[in-house]
Amino acid sequence: MRVSVLQMNQGSDKPANIAQARRLIEGAVEADRPQMVSLPETWTNLGGGREARAAAAEVLPEPGGTGGTAYEFLREVARGAGIHVHGGSIIEQGEGRFFNTTLVFDPTGREIARYRKIHLFDITGPDGTGYRESALYGGGESLVTFEAGGVTFGCTICYDMRFPEQYLALRRRGAEAILVPSNFTLMTGKDHWEVLLRARAIESQCWIIAAASHGSYEERGAMRQVYGHSLVADPWGHVVAKCSDGIGWATARLDRALTARVRRDMPVLEHRRLA
């Protein structure tokens, strides 16, 4: 199965972000013929403050119902291209607060997975910048997997990658590949991004598929930067596809025979004693 990770430079203009996503998906599909594309975290909005997030937020329908512009865009693209679309994450308008939520659509445009980010990004970066995701978002509580092209995928979002127990739990649920759409800060990304993703691949013996945002955005009058370097790592921890700086995509083929061989030759799941 071929999967393309899309690297965006989104801002607070939702229609412009949707247009950028459309161009990237169309380019990847034409050039690489993937069976799945994956978008970054909150690809419909990055920056602009609470008001911009509220404007970008969507009330998600019951499966089969009609949703907002981003929801219907993802469904339309999946159906039109005949591919699975992993919609990174969008801002879900829940009851009284937002959620950072993944949506996945199959080639008929049917929603097959919905995941709310479990671990919220409440940290102070190395440069002193504070991030308080919990001030705006509620946290999810449920693990989510789905099947596409004969492969079982697990859902995570960005900061989740720092919690290996989530990846172990997804592996135990049958995951062979785990998606990690992200807006990873430049300051942490340059030191931790690839190291963490490769570690999660090695520990879980899953493919790691991480579409990320790249570049600068404005947040309450200050400029912030996200790291990018979207990548795919195999179950041995090798990075097999990676985006350079800027907007673009990278494509990799998920080889289930490699997954099986790695797990057979090093059966770490069977050897676990403390978790």
Side-chain angles (χ1 to χ4, degrees):
M1 185 180 191
R2 291 187 303 281
V3 178
S4 294
V5 287
L6 308 183
Q7 184 158 291
M8 293 182 60
N9 179 213
Q10 70 269 40
S12 58
D13 184 334
K14 183 177 179 180
N17 295 333
I18 292 175
Q20 182 183 147
R22 184 184 296 278
R23 290 192 300 271
L24 285 170
I25 293 171
E26 289 176 350
V29 168
E30 181 178 0
D32 292 350
R33 305 297 183 199
Q35 283 86 45
M36 177 186 288
V37 296
S38 178
L39 288 154
E41 181 182 18
T42 60
W43 62 272
T44 57
N45 170 270
L46 192 56
R50 183 184 294 266
E51 295 77 13
R53 288 175 174 80
E58 297 187 7
V59 176
L60 299 184
E62 293 296 320
T66 300
T69 55
Y71 186 96
E72 292 302 318
F73 164 75
L74 294 171
R75 178 151 63 182
E76 169 213 331
V77 166
R79 187 167 50 226
I83 60 174
H84 285 85
V85 173
H86 171 264
S89 73
I90 67 170
I91 303 170
E92 176 192 353
Q93 179 63 66
E95 293 186 9
R97 65 187 327 175
F98 302 133
F99 292 93
N100 190 339
T101 302
T102 290
L103 299 164
V104 185
F105 295 86
D106 74 8
T108 70
R110 179 175 62 96
E111 182 188 332
I112 58 172
R114 185 181 295 189
Y115 166 73
R116 287 174 169 175
K117 184 177 183 180
I118 291 174
H119 299 98
L120 300 181
F121 191 57
D122 289 357
I123 69 106
T124 300
D127 61 351
T129 302
Y131 299 85
R132 294 290 178 270
E133 193 172 16
S134 64
L136 286 175
Y137 294 90
E141 298 178 350
S142 300
L143 296 173
V144 173
T145 61
F146 65 93
E147 188 275 334
V151 178
T152 300
F153 291 83
C155 292
T156 67
I157 299 174
C158 200
Y159 191 50
D160 287 335
M161 77 173 71
R162 292 185 181 272
F163 301 90
E165 62 272 19
Q166 184 170 354
Y167 289 70
L168 173 59
L170 289 169
R171 164 72 193 275
R172 284 179 165 149
R173 287 194 172 206
E176 300 164 87
I178 300 175
L179 294 135
V180 199
S182 300
N183 294 323
F184 219 78
T185 72
L186 176 62
M187 292 298 292
T188 55
K190 63 184 179 62
D191 295 327
H192 293 172
W193 169 254
E194 188 170 314
V195 175
L196 285 168
L197 292 172
R198 293 182 66 197
R200 297 297 84 85
I202 293 164
E203 293 163 350
S204 68
Q205 298 177 319
C206 289
W207 295 82
I208 297 294
I209 301 161
S213 307
H214 173 271
S216 301
Y217 67 97
E218 181 273 330
E219 181 70 34
R220 296 189 298 275
M223 296 306 297
R224 293 183 173 180
Q225 291 182 289
V226 279
Y227 185 62
H229 296 81
S230 305
L231 63 81
V232 179
D234 72 17
W236 192 250
H238 289 152
V239 175
V240 297
K242 186 176 183 180
C243 290
S244 186
D245 292 338
I247 295 170
W249 68 83
T251 302
R253 182 177 66 88
L254 309 188
D255 181 354
R256 298 187 73 200
L258 173 62
T259 309
R261 185 166 65 251
V262 168
R263 294 179 177 188
R264 180 199 66 205
D265 294 347
M266 189 174 291
V268 292
L269 197 63
E270 299 170 23
H271 295 162
R272 284 189 177 273
R273 295 293 181 266
L274 301 178

